[in-house]
Amino acid sequence: GFYRAGVIEMRPRKIAAHYLRTWFFIDVAIVLADWLLLLMQSGVADMIGVVRIMKTVRMSRVVRLVRLFRILKLPTRLEDIMSSLQSESLSTAVHIASCLVLIFVVNHFIACGWYSISNLSDREHRWVNALYIEG
């Protein structure tokens, strides 16, 4: 569903029409870019032209970045949900859950950073390899 004038729209036909007007073409561009990457890896790239495909791959990265901008709408939607809640205890529970999600996301990025630092070090004496040996 999606929100229209503060009301969630759940009719499939309206949802499909909204999707076709908003995110459909971006999703198609992303899928086409993925198919082009598969073609490049399969060896067909030599026939098509590597330069053209590389330009398309770069453009697909930009399209994926644009898709991530959906996340910027999340605080506004969360605020709308919070204002529509009638129960104080439910509102508190949603606030606690959102704080926990934020903590998980921050911890994920910290762990990714440490893993990247690990990949920069000596490949034989890494903590990741030590876990594989012990496990």
Side-chain angles (χ1 to χ4, degrees):
F2 64 96
Y3 284 100
R4 176 178 284 159
V7 178
I8 190 164
E9 180 66 58
M10 293 299 292
R11 291 178 283 188
R13 185 170 292 204
K14 296 280 187 179
I15 293 170
H18 182 263
Y19 174 68
L20 287 172
R21 284 191 312 269
T22 55
W23 289 101
F24 176 73
F25 294 107
I26 294 172
D27 290 341
V28 167
I30 291 171
V31 169
L32 286 175
D34 287 340
W35 286 353
L36 285 173
L37 286 172
L38 285 173
L39 284 175
M40 281 180 50
Q41 292 174 355
S42 68
V44 179
D46 296 334
M47 294 183 291
I48 296 175
V50 176
V51 175
R52 237 176 49 195
I53 291 178
M54 290 309 292
K55 286 181 183 178
T56 306
V57 169
R58 276 187 247 129
M59 189 62 187
S60 73
R61 290 180 187 153
V62 172
V63 170
R64 286 181 183 176
L65 184 64
V66 169
R67 175 99 189 220
L68 286 176
F69 284 133
R70 282 178 140 178
I71 294 174
L72 295 177
K73 294 181 182 179
L74 190 62
T76 316
R77 289 187 179 174
L78 188 60
E79 194 173 299
D80 291 341
I81 292 170
M82 292 294 286
S83 67
S84 68
L85 293 177
Q86 300 296 327
S87 169
E88 185 67 29
S89 60
L90 185 59
S91 175
T92 303
V94 169
H95 181 69
I96 290 172
S98 65
C99 289
L100 285 173
V101 167
L102 177 66
I103 290 170
F104 287 138
V105 168
V106 169
N107 282 335
H108 170 76
F109 283 112
I110 290 171
C112 288
W114 280 112
Y115 184 78
S116 298
I117 290 171
S118 165
N119 279 340
L120 294 175
S121 67
D122 184 21
R123 295 238 178 233
E124 294 178 17
H125 300 92
R126 298 186 320 182
W127 62 270
V128 177
N129 291 343
L131 287 176
Y132 286 132
I133 293 171
E134 290 175 11

